């Protein structure tokens, strides 16, 4: 008799118990008590050494000489490692091999790592750093994308997405407007700075605890630099104190350096960047300089849109080409534009390589079309929302990249927001307020968003899950998902608890580890719960079916008659006397495998770069925000009265966590658009290098009222349990803040000419208010 009939039986219906959507973040208890572990909290081996990075204080130059002698003489300094100590390749570039781990011959940005100082304590290592003398022959420094374009300094060839006939259509437009727009970079400011701890094991193996979104990237690059096969390197991640894209690629060098030192010295090495070092050495969101031309008909339809986007990539590719591509994917935001010509240049400058940041280039593209619409509205004397509403994407319309939009919620979310938040009445109240208030003026803006879900690089859309049911009935789950505060571990726990119908306390989400789940994509693109969650569903369902077979055979019934509910076995709807624990005990006795591994790869998606057409996204996320601001027209300061959002969660599997994502992303978006001003000197030195010179949103900059209503929809089957990705899209609601402020300024100064140069800091507001 064959007990287990099929290893991979066909899908069966999930347990009847509805998923527990109300579960709170499983990290909340240890977070609140300060017991959650980060890299700096790992128990280190006795004798662990501490490392500090020596970096360039010249943004572009030939290295003439570096004198390490005084630093090496300092008591407690163990070693200083440079490119000469790299046994493999001195190369960490992710997309292109254009980035050395340690500078060799030349430096390309201020803050570029040149050496690693390893000492008995961090204090000694830092003291040694001040004793190193570097001499450069200085070369011309480029800090802006415009300068780079003029000089022909590029990371990669430009990319263009085209739809229809732009040039021909402009000839037929009733109105044409042209303009310029700039959006600045943004510092990730994850609370946990970059860092890693590397431990040498036997036989030259190395184990690294890293604060990374991409464990496999760390493993692969460490192996390449150390000249080892990947199986000798193990990466372990418990959680991150925030990543926001800043640890998708840029967590790698620190882990590699710690591992290199561990390999050389056969001792554990810890490398944690100080905030100042982190701010100076790591890349940020890409600033973009853009020019646009928008053509409309008399009835405000956008007929043609041409845009050229200059991305300030910094001194090496990092993820810039992929980010540039996503800028094009989102260049028309939530609108259907039948004729589009969009081109992006990835410009090479002497800044730290800029990198992934929540939205991955999408927000930058969306800001430009919103700028174009605002300018058109201002010059035509209509409300921007009249143009926005007239052009919202509808079912079966085509994006410039060839994907045909289905299950579109652009209009739905817009109309819901308009009605539920009484947009017209809100406007009237503002007109009334403004006509009675000489100094304080209010402004309102509506901001629709559309964001594509999937890694734009199709081949990255896969994940695996490894599930063990232990013999006592407790469950251990490993996936590629990295918990960075977004709550993915809680969602994974919900999935397993739901499928097995067990209490969540029976489920443990293991650390993310490359020996348990290999060859992973980073936790990014808002897709972590979708990809890993779908793999987890498959693994759990396979195990569940195996368990059901045991019961079916014992009761001589069809497997369809077997169900698990609240840790009890049911047959034909009747509760049996078998508990979950007893079922697992039986499975052990019958020698049934209680471990399962499953692989998920997003179906349908594809993209042909030679044609720049395809179907890159599993689905899109939609939503609409109404932002209201009050500007103090004596001081130039402002506050946000309210942000009211209708957001497309699909069918949220955890409304509490998802609301937290919307609120956090919104505030981060508002910060980017209004306060956060990255500044570099002409010589390439970061000026906004501390929290005294770089302003991030605090409790006072949070809108007085934030209301988020879920859009009623059927969800999308490509999303995990129909619960749509939520990590990045709501950041773009923050773009509305920029326009709300300008609309208030216009109410004070009718001569104010719209400017599209973010962030809209109080200084810029003040200058604009009195500009004639
Ligand atoms: N939320 C918190 N608390 N911390 C983070 O670092 N990163 C954001 C977003 N939300 C982030 C976050 C970014 S950039 C992405 S891509 C997604 O979370 C990644 O997680 P997800 O794929 O599970 O949404
Ligand atoms: N989003 C985030 N990270 C990525 C992507 C993306 O679309 N593509 C490659 N890395
Ligand atoms: Mo998010 S920018 O995809 O890490």
């Amino acid at each position: 008799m064959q007990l287990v009939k099929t290893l991979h039986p066909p899908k069966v219906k999930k347990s009847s118990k509805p998923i527990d959507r109300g579960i709170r973040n499983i990290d909340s208890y240890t977070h609140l008590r300060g017991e959650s572990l980060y890299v700096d909290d790992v128990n280190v081996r006795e004798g662990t050494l501490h490392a500090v990075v020596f970096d360039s204080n010249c943004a572009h130059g030939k290295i003439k000489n570096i004198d390490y002698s005084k630093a090496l003489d300092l008591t407690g300094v163990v070693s200083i490692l440079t490119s000469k100590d790299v046994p493999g390749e001195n190369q960490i570039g992710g997309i292109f091999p254009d980035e050395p781990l340690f500078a060799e011959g030349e430096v390309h940005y201020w803050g570029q790592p040149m050496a690693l100082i390893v000492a008995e304590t961090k204090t000694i290592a830092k003291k040694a750093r001040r004793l190193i003398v570097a001499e450069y022959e200085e070369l011309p420094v480029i800090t802006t994308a415009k300068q780079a374009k003029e000089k022909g300094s590029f990371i990669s060839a430009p990319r263009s997405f085209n739809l229809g006939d732009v040039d021909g259509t402009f000839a037929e437009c009733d109105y044409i407007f042209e303009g310029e727009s700039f959006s600045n970079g943004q510092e990730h400011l994850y609370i946990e700075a970059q860092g890693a701890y590397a431990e040498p094991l036997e036989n030259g193996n190395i184990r690294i605890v890293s604060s990374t979104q991409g464990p496999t990237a760390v493993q692969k690059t460490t192996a390449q630099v150390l000249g080892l096969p990947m199986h000798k390197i193990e990466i372990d991640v418990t959680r991150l104190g925030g990543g926001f894209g800043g640890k998708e690629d840029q967590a790698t060098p620190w882990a590699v350096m710690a591992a290199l030192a561990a390999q050389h010295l056969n001792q554990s090495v810890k490398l944690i960047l100080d905030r100042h070092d982190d701010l100076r050495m790591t890349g940020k969101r890409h600033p973009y300089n853009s020019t646009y031309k928008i053509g409309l008909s008399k009835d405000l339809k956008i007929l043609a849109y041409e845009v050229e986007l200059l991305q300030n990539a910094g001194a090496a590719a990092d993820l810039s080409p992929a980010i540039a591509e996503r800028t094009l994917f989102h260049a028309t935001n939530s609108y259907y534009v039948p004729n589009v010509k969009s081109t992006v240049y990835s410009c090479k400058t002497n800044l730290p390589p800029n990198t992934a940041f929540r939205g991955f280039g999408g927000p930058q593209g969306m800001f430009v079309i919103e700028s174009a619409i605002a300018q058109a509205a201002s010059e035509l004397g209509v409300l921007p929302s009249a143009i926005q509403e007239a052009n919202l994407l509808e079912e079966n319309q085509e994006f410039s990249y060839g994907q045909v939009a289905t299950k579109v919620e652009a209009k739905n979310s817009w109309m819901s927001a308009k009605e539920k938040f009484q947009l017209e009445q809100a406007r009237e109240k503002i007109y009334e307020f403004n006509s009675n208030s000489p100094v304080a003026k209010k402004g309102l803006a509506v901001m629709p968003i559309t964001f594509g879900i999937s890694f734009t690089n199709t081949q990255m859309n896969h994940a695996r899950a490894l599930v063990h049911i232990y013999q006592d009935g407790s469950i251990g789950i490993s996936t590629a998902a990295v918990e960075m505060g977004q709550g993915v571990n809680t969602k994974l726990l919900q999935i397993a608890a739901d499928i097995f119908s067990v209490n969540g306390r029976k489920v443990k989400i293991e650390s993310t580890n490359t020996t348990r789940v290999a060859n992973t994509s980073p936790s990014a693109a808002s897709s972590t719960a979708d990809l890993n969650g779908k793999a987890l569903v498959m693994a759990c369902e396979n195990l569940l079916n195996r368990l059901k077979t045991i019961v079916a055979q014992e009761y001589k019934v069809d497997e369809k008659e077997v169900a698990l509910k609240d840790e009890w076995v049911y047959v034909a709807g009747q509760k049996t006397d078998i508990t979950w624990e007893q079922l697992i005990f039986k499975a052990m006795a019958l020698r049934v495998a209680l471990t399962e591994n499953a692989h998920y790869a997003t179906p349908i998606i594809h993209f042909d770069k030679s044609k720049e057409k395809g179907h890159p996204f599993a689905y899109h996320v939609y939503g609409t925000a109404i932002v209201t601001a009050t500007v103090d027209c004596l001081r130039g300061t402002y506050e946000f009265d309210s942000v009211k959002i209708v957001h497309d969660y699909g069918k949220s599997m955890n409304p509490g966590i998802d609301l937290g994502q919307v609120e956090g992303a919104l505030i981060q978006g508002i910060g980017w658009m209004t306060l956060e001003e990255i500044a570099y000197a002409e010589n390439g030195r970061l000026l906004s290098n501390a929290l005294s010179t770089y302003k991030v949103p605090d409790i006072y900059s949070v809108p007085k009222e934030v209301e988020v209503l879920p859009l009623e929809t059927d969800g999308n089957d490509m999303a995990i349990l129909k619960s749509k990705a939520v990590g990045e899209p709501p950041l773009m609601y923050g773009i509305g803040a920029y326009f709300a402020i300008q609309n208030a300024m216009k109410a004070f100064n009718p001569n104010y000419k719209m400017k599209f140069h973010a962030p809209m800091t109080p200084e810029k507001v003040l200058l604009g208010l009195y500009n004639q």
Side-chain angles (χ1 to χ4, degrees):
M1 186 190 81
Q2 193 194 7
L3 189 71
V4 178
K5 279 181 291 196
T6 51
L7 195 62
H8 296 281
K11 275 202 171 159
V12 293
K13 244 185 75 202
K14 286 208 320 316
S15 81
S16 53
K17 183 173 155 265
I19 190 160
D20 181 4
R21 290 168 200 266
I23 180 175
R24 71 161 84 96
N25 191 315
I26 56 172
D27 278 349
S28 51
Y29 183 80
T30 54
H31 276 2
L32 200 67
R33 293 168 60 90
E35 291 171 358
S36 298
L37 299 181
Y38 300 88
V39 175
D40 209 7
D41 304 316
V42 241
N43 284 319
V44 299
R45 191 190 281 187
E46 200 181 329
T48 291
L49 300 170
H50 298 266
V52 163
V53 177
F54 173 67
D55 59 305
S56 161
N57 60 350
C58 161
H60 192 197
K62 288 202 170 79
I63 303 171
K64 284 205 301 200
N65 185 46
I66 310 182
D67 182 0
Y68 294 110
S69 58
K70 284 206 179 92
L72 281 166
D73 285 346
L74 193 71
T75 312
V77 171
V78 178
S79 180
I80 297 181
L81 301 166
T82 68
S83 62
K84 295 193 186 76
D85 301 298
V86 170
E89 292 169 50
N90 180 35
Q91 183 49 245
I92 58 165
I95 295 184
F96 302 136
D98 69 345
E99 193 179 353
L101 178 70
F102 295 119
E104 251 182 311
E106 285 190 356
V107 289
H108 294 269
Y109 64 93
W110 194 299
Q112 183 172 356
M114 309 219 284
L116 187 74
I117 307 155
V118 190
E120 284 163 12
T121 68
K122 194 170 179 177
T123 312
I124 296 172
K126 286 176 94 176
K127 211 167 166 184
R129 178 162 72 176
R130 291 194 290 272
L131 299 174
I132 300 173
V133 185
E135 290 167 70
Y136 312 89
E137 179 189 324
E138 293 196 10
L139 296 169
V141 173
I142 302 176
T143 58
T144 70
K146 277 188 181 174
Q147 295 164 348
K149 175 139 192 273
E150 277 161 22
K151 294 192 176 172
S153 170
F154 300 111
I155 292 284
S156 50
R159 298 269 301 269
S160 279
F161 287 7
N162 295 295
L163 181 68
D165 169 18
V166 172
D167 297 331
T169 308
F170 275 127
E172 289 160 20
C173 289
D174 295 312
Y175 314 112
I176 293 175
F177 304 99
E178 292 181 67
E180 274 186 59
S181 138
F182 172 79
S183 62
N184 207 336
Q186 185 176 23
E187 166 56 43
H188 301 87
L189 215 80
Y190 23 68
I191 291 176
E192 181 195 26
Q194 303 274 6
Y197 168 69
E199 198 168 70
L201 306 174
E202 61 182 17
N203 295 321
N205 298 327
I206 294 177
R207 186 172 187 277
I208 305 172
V209 178
S210 166
S211 179
T212 180
Q213 292 173 237
T216 292
V218 173
Q219 182 194 19
K220 186 174 165 224
T221 310
T222 304
Q224 178 180 304
V225 172
L226 270 54
L228 295 174
M230 280 171 78
H231 72 206
K232 284 193 166 287
I233 312 291
E234 172 189 347
I235 313 300
D236 193 78
V237 186
T238 296
R239 66 165 67 70
L240 316 189
F244 305 110
K247 295 171 182 171
E248 182 173 339
D249 231 32
Q250 298 207 358
T252 300
W254 328 110
V256 176
M257 287 178 201
L260 181 73
Q263 184 189 40
H264 269 270
L265 305 168
N266 195 29
Q267 180 54 279
S268 295
V269 176
K270 196 174 186 179
L271 167 52
I272 312 263
L273 299 193
D274 278 357
R275 183 63 65 186
H276 263 97
D277 287 1
D278 189 310
L279 292 173
R280 184 175 69 253
M281 294 181 201
T282 66
K284 308 169 196 317
R285 183 189 291 285
H286 294 75
Y288 274 68
N289 277 99
S290 310
T291 48
Y292 57 80
K293 182 172 172 186
I294 189 167
L296 298 100
S297 67
K298 280 216 164 64
D299 56 357
L300 303 182
K301 287 277 181 200
I302 303 173
L303 301 180
Y305 180 57
E306 185 173 349
V307 61
E308 184 183 273
L309 303 124
L310 308 184
Q311 176 199 54
N312 187 336
D318 191 87
L319 294 164
S320 296
I323 292 163
E325 184 186 46
R326 197 178 264 279
T327 302
L328 296 184
F329 283 120
H330 297 308
T332 53
N333 189 16
S334 301
Y335 311 109
Y336 172 62
V337 183
N339 301 283
V340 181
K341 187 152 118 192
S342 55
T343 304
V344 65
Y345 289 84
S346 201
C347 301
K348 187 170 176 170
T349 60
N350 298 109
L351 301 185
N354 285 317
T355 193
F357 196 133
R358 209 171 195 171
F360 207 71
Q364 290 95 320
M366 287 158 66
F367 179 65
V368 184
I369 191 156
E370 293 302 329
S371 299
I373 290 172
Q375 184 192 343
S378 170
E379 295 195 22
L380 291 172
V382 301
L383 288 171
S385 59
I387 300 178
Q388 291 171 307
E389 189 175 322
N391 292 281
L392 291 169
L393 189 71
E394 290 181 44
E395 202 67 11
N396 294 323
Q397 286 178 331
E398 189 183 343
F399 289 102
S400 67
Y401 47 92
Q403 182 158 345
V404 174
T406 55
K407 296 188 136 204
V408 180
E409 307 289 356
K411 268 225 160 94
N412 190 7
S413 71
W414 178 283
M415 297 315 287
S416 302
K418 193 171 163 179
E419 282 157 27
K420 293 197 168 135
F421 299 129
Q422 305 192 311
L423 178 62
E424 297 316 323
Q425 279 113 308
R427 274 195 207 288
E428 260 155 45
K429 273 194 200 149
I430 288 177
Y431 289 134
E432 205 183 297
F433 176 93
N434 284 347
S435 51
N436 295 319
S437 166
V439 169
K441 296 287 184 189
K442 287 185 191 295
L444 177 150
V446 191
M447 181 64 201
I449 62 149
T450 296
F451 197 77
I453 301 302
S454 286
F455 285 97
T456 53
N457 182 2
T458 301
Q459 49 176 24
M460 291 173 78
N461 293 282
H462 61 85
R464 280 153 302 288
L466 174 68
V467 180
H468 299 313
I469 303 175
Y470 293 99
Q471 51 191 291
D472 66 352
S474 65
I475 299 161
I477 288 169
S478 298
T479 70
V482 169
E483 176 60 55
M484 55 189 116
Q486 87 279 41
V488 69
N489 279 357
T490 306
K491 291 184 174 180
L492 296 173
L493 180 138
Q494 284 177 277
I495 291 167
D498 175 51
I499 293 177
F500 296 125
S501 198
V502 297
N503 190 302
R505 276 192 285 272
K506 283 214 159 47
V507 183
K508 179 184 173 204
I509 309 299
E510 301 287 354
S511 65
T512 316
N513 187 296
T514 51
T515 66
R516 275 179 270 114
V517 180
N519 305 323
T520 67
S521 292
S523 285
S526 304
S527 302
T528 316
D530 277 0
L531 297 173
N532 295 277
K534 292 234 173 196
L536 181 60
V537 167
M538 291 163 76
C540 291
E541 286 189 345
N542 286 343
L543 280 166
L544 178 68
N545 287 329
R546 224 179 269 161
L547 295 171
K548 283 183 175 176
T549 303
I550 297 171
V551 180
Q553 294 196 342
E554 186 167 321
Y555 282 79
K556 301 199 169 48
V557 294
D558 194 277
E559 280 156 40
K560 289 197 195 84
E561 302 288 328
V562 182
L564 295 185
K565 223 187 282 176
D566 298 331
E567 306 195 0
W568 284 89
V569 175
Y570 284 68
V571 171
Q574 296 295 309
K575 193 173 184 175
T576 66
D577 57 1
I578 311 174
T579 64
W580 165 258
E581 275 90 353
Q582 287 164 338
L583 176 59
I584 299 308
F585 187 79
K586 262 183 215 289
M588 277 299 289
L590 292 166
R591 298 184 292 167
V592 172
L594 289 175
T595 288
E596 186 66 11
N597 178 56
H599 171 84
Y600 175 76
T602 313
I604 301 168
I605 54 171
H606 57 88
F607 193 71
D608 181 349
K609 278 195 188 179
S610 69
K611 300 193 176 75
E612 303 286 29
K613 297 283 178 196
H615 188 105
F617 298 119
Y619 57 89
H620 287 82
V621 169
Y622 302 89
T624 300
I626 300 174
V627 184
T628 309
T630 304
V631 174
D632 176 333
C633 299
L634 280 182
R635 296 174 182 82
T637 54
Y638 45 76
E639 43 186 31
F640 298 99
D641 305 340
S642 66
V643 178
K644 299 186 177 189
I645 297 170
V646 171
H647 184 77
D648 166 26
Y649 294 102
K651 295 247 172 276
S652 173
M653 66 183 286
N654 194 315
I657 283 176
D658 287 353
L659 176 62
Q661 284 293 291
V662 173
E663 290 174 343
L666 167 70
I667 306 309
Q668 208 164 27
I670 291 178
W672 171 53
M673 279 284 110
T674 64
L675 299 173
E676 300 182 40
E677 195 165 34
I678 303 263
Y680 289 94
E682 271 176 29
N683 67 1
R685 190 172 79 87
L686 179 67
L687 297 171
S688 50
N689 66 351
L691 291 178
S692 52
T693 48
Y694 185 73
K695 174 95 181 101
V696 287
D698 57 19
I699 193 67
Y700 300 105
S701 27
V702 168
K704 293 202 191 103
E705 190 187 351
V706 176
E707 195 177 343
V708 187
L709 296 179
L711 184 67
E712 301 296 335
T713 72
D714 293 337
N716 193 304
D717 284 323
M718 298 282 268
I720 181 69
L721 303 175
K722 296 182 183 257
S723 180
K724 285 189 173 183
V726 69
E728 294 166 286
L731 181 130
M732 286 144 268
Y733 293 132
I735 295 173
Y738 186 95
F739 296 98
I741 293 174
Q742 278 207 115
N743 292 336
M745 290 164 71
K746 234 182 137 86
F748 180 81
N749 176 7
N751 293 326
Y752 173 67
K753 198 166 165 294
M754 292 274 174
K755 281 191 192 69
F756 309 106
H757 195 282
M760 185 51 89
T761 57
E763 291 93 312
K764 285 190 201 159
V765 172
L766 197 60
L767 290 174
L769 286 169
Y770 297 95
N771 199 329
Q772 288 310 306

